[in-house]
PDB file of all heavy atoms in Angstrom:
ATOM      1  N   ARG A  89     -21.575   8.829 -22.434  1.00 82.00           N
ATOM      2  CA  ARG A  89     -20.466   8.438 -21.686  1.00 82.00           C
ATOM      3  C   ARG A  89     -20.848   8.375 -20.138  1.00 82.00           C
ATOM      4  O   ARG A  89     -21.689   9.203 -19.703  1.00 82.00           O
ATOM      5  CB  ARG A  89     -19.367   9.507 -21.734  1.00 82.00           C
ATOM      6  CG  ARG A  89     -18.734   9.689 -23.219  1.00 82.00           C
ATOM      7  CD  ARG A  89     -17.735  10.719 -23.250  1.00 82.00           C
ATOM      8  NE  ARG A  89     -18.283  12.024 -22.857  1.00 82.00           N
ATOM      9  CZ  ARG A  89     -17.643  13.205 -23.059  1.00 82.00           C
ATOM     10  NH1 ARG A  89     -16.421  13.161 -23.539  1.00 82.00           N
ATOM     11  NH2 ARG A  89     -18.248  14.364 -22.675  1.00 82.00           N
ATOM     12  N   GLN A  90     -20.311   7.367 -19.389  1.00 84.00           N
ATOM     13  CA  GLN A  90     -20.633   7.205 -17.935  1.00 84.00           C
ATOM     14  C   GLN A  90     -19.919   8.342 -17.303  1.00 84.00           C
ATOM     15  O   GLN A  90     -18.669   8.420 -17.299  1.00 84.00           O
ATOM     16  CB  GLN A  90     -20.064   5.794 -17.593  1.00 84.00           C
ATOM     17  CG  GLN A  90     -20.913   4.663 -18.082  1.00 84.00           C
ATOM     18  CD  GLN A  90     -22.284   4.593 -17.645  1.00 84.00           C
ATOM     19  OE1 GLN A  90     -22.580   4.969 -16.448  1.00 84.00           O
ATOM     20  NE2 GLN A  90     -23.270   4.185 -18.410  1.00 84.00           N
ATOM     21  N   ARG A  91     -20.668   9.161 -16.519  1.00 87.00           N
ATOM     22  CA  ARG A  91     -20.169  10.281 -15.841  1.00 87.00           C
ATOM     23  C   ARG A  91     -19.652   9.872 -14.372  1.00 87.00           C
ATOM     24  O   ARG A  91     -18.850  10.683 -13.831  1.00 87.00           O
ATOM     25  CB  ARG A  91     -21.064  11.365 -15.784  1.00 87.00           C
ATOM     26  CG  ARG A  91     -21.322  11.932 -17.117  1.00 87.00           C
ATOM     27  CD  ARG A  91     -22.448  13.097 -17.151  1.00 87.00           C
ATOM     28  NE  ARG A  91     -23.596  12.780 -16.351  1.00 87.00           N
ATOM     29  CZ  ARG A  91     -24.290  13.600 -15.685  1.00 87.00           C
ATOM     30  NH1 ARG A  91     -23.982  14.677 -15.326  1.00 87.00           N
ATOM     31  NH2 ARG A  91     -25.444  13.019 -15.130  1.00 87.00           N
ATOM     32  N   LEU A  92     -20.098   8.743 -13.877  1.00 89.00           N
ATOM     33  CA  LEU A  92     -19.739   8.411 -12.538  1.00 89.00           C
ATOM     34  C   LEU A  92     -19.733   6.854 -12.349  1.00 89.00           C
ATOM     35  O   LEU A  92     -20.606   6.360 -11.610  1.00 89.00           O
ATOM     36  CB  LEU A  92     -20.642   9.097 -11.444  1.00 89.00           C
ATOM     37  CG  LEU A  92     -20.093   9.400 -10.083  1.00 89.00           C
ATOM     38  CD1 LEU A  92     -18.781   9.988 -10.111  1.00 89.00           C
ATOM     39  CD2 LEU A  92     -21.086  10.155  -9.390  1.00 89.00           C
ATOM     40  N   PRO A  93     -18.953   6.103 -13.111  1.00 89.00           N
ATOM     41  CA  PRO A  93     -19.029   4.738 -12.991  1.00 89.00           C
ATOM     42  C   PRO A  93     -18.323   4.193 -11.622  1.00 89.00           C
ATOM     43  O   PRO A  93     -17.444   4.864 -11.068  1.00 89.00           O
ATOM     44  CB  PRO A  93     -18.084   4.245 -14.099  1.00 89.00           C
ATOM     45  CG  PRO A  93     -17.289   5.333 -14.473  1.00 89.00           C
ATOM     46  CD  PRO A  93     -18.002   6.631 -14.164  1.00 89.00           C
ATOM     47  N   GLN A  94     -19.021   3.129 -11.109  1.00 91.00           N
ATOM     48  CA  GLN A  94     -18.588   2.544  -9.847  1.00 91.00           C
ATOM     49  C   GLN A  94     -18.431   1.150  -9.913  1.00 91.00           C
ATOM     50  O   GLN A  94     -19.357   0.489 -10.566  1.00 91.00           O
ATOM     51  CB  GLN A  94     -19.642   2.930  -8.816  1.00 91.00           C
ATOM     52  CG  GLN A  94     -19.458   2.239  -7.564  1.00 91.00           C
ATOM     53  CD  GLN A  94     -20.443   2.659  -6.417  1.00 91.00           C
ATOM     54  OE1 GLN A  94     -20.172   3.146  -5.349  1.00 91.00           O
ATOM     55  NE2 GLN A  94     -21.797   2.565  -6.743  1.00 91.00           N
ATOM     56  N   ILE A  95     -17.480   0.514  -9.493  1.00 93.00           N
ATOM     57  CA  ILE A  95     -17.220  -0.881  -9.335  1.00 93.00           C
ATOM     58  C   ILE A  95     -17.396  -1.407  -7.938  1.00 93.00           C
ATOM     59  O   ILE A  95     -16.649  -0.876  -7.063  1.00 93.00           O
ATOM     60  CB  ILE A  95     -15.892  -1.330 -10.035  1.00 93.00           C
ATOM     61  CG1 ILE A  95     -15.953  -0.997 -11.490  1.00 93.00           C
ATOM     62  CG2 ILE A  95     -15.749  -2.898  -9.804  1.00 93.00           C
ATOM     63  CD1 ILE A  95     -14.359  -1.296 -12.135  1.00 93.00           C
ATOM     64  N   MET A  96     -18.385  -2.170  -7.674  1.00 91.00           N
ATOM     65  CA  MET A  96     -18.545  -2.698  -6.229  1.00 91.00           C
ATOM     66  C   MET A  96     -17.641  -4.020  -6.066  1.00 91.00           C
ATOM     67  O   MET A  96     -17.476  -4.680  -7.125  1.00 91.00           O
ATOM     68  CB  MET A  96     -20.004  -3.175  -6.011  1.00 91.00           C
ATOM     69  CG  MET A  96     -21.080  -2.121  -6.415  1.00 91.00           C
ATOM     70  SD  MET A  96     -20.952  -0.583  -5.426  1.00 91.00           S
ATOM     71  CE  MET A  96     -21.430  -1.370  -3.759  1.00 91.00           C
ATOM     72  N   ASN A  97     -17.148  -4.237  -4.960  1.00 93.00           N
ATOM     73  CA  ASN A  97     -16.309  -5.316  -4.654  1.00 93.00           C
ATOM     74  C   ASN A  97     -15.200  -5.600  -5.702  1.00 93.00           C
ATOM     75  O   ASN A  97     -14.962  -6.733  -6.281  1.00 93.00           O
ATOM     76  CB  ASN A  97     -17.312  -6.675  -4.622  1.00 93.00           C
ATOM     77  CG  ASN A  97     -18.437  -6.402  -3.838  1.00 93.00           C
ATOM     78  OD1 ASN A  97     -18.246  -6.021  -2.526  1.00 93.00           O
ATOM     79  ND2 ASN A  97     -19.566  -6.684  -4.297  1.00 93.00           N
ATOM     80  N   PRO A  98     -14.332  -4.534  -6.047  1.00 95.00           N
ATOM     81  CA  PRO A  98     -13.336  -4.644  -6.974  1.00 95.00           C
ATOM     82  C   PRO A  98     -12.338  -5.836  -6.719  1.00 95.00           C
ATOM     83  O   PRO A  98     -11.716  -6.313  -7.513  1.00 95.00           O
ATOM     84  CB  PRO A  98     -12.678  -3.326  -7.006  1.00 95.00           C
ATOM     85  CG  PRO A  98     -13.104  -2.605  -5.772  1.00 95.00           C
ATOM     86  CD  PRO A  98     -14.475  -3.183  -5.436  1.00 95.00           C
ATOM     87  N   GLU A  99     -12.185  -6.064  -5.396  1.00 94.00           N
ATOM     88  CA  GLU A  99     -11.216  -7.117  -4.939  1.00 94.00           C
ATOM     89  C   GLU A  99     -11.653  -8.594  -5.525  1.00 94.00           C
ATOM     90  O   GLU A  99     -10.774  -9.345  -5.672  1.00 94.00           O
ATOM     91  CB  GLU A  99     -11.112  -7.214  -3.435  1.00 94.00           C
ATOM     92  CG  GLU A  99     -12.150  -7.772  -2.683  1.00 94.00           C
ATOM     93  CD  GLU A  99     -13.443  -6.860  -2.542  1.00 94.00           C
ATOM     94  OE1 GLU A  99     -13.497  -5.790  -3.151  1.00 94.00           O
ATOM     95  OE2 GLU A  99     -14.374  -7.312  -1.828  1.00 94.00           O
ATOM     96  N   THR A 100     -12.898  -8.724  -5.880  1.00 92.00           N
ATOM     97  CA  THR A 100     -13.356 -10.002  -6.550  1.00 92.00           C
ATOM     98  C   THR A 100     -12.578 -10.078  -7.891  1.00 92.00           C
ATOM     99  O   THR A 100     -12.311 -11.087  -8.239  1.00 92.00           O
ATOM    100  CB  THR A 100     -14.935  -9.881  -6.820  1.00 92.00           C
ATOM    101  OG1 THR A 100     -15.515  -9.535  -5.527  1.00 92.00           O
ATOM    102  CG2 THR A 100     -15.374 -11.286  -7.316  1.00 92.00           C
TER     103      THR A 100
END
Side-chain angles (χ1 to χ4, degrees):
R89 298 179 301 187
Q90 290 295 323
R91 294 182 303 145
L92 206 49
Q94 171 178 232
I95 298 173
M96 311 296 290
N97 311 308
E99 74 283 5
T100 308

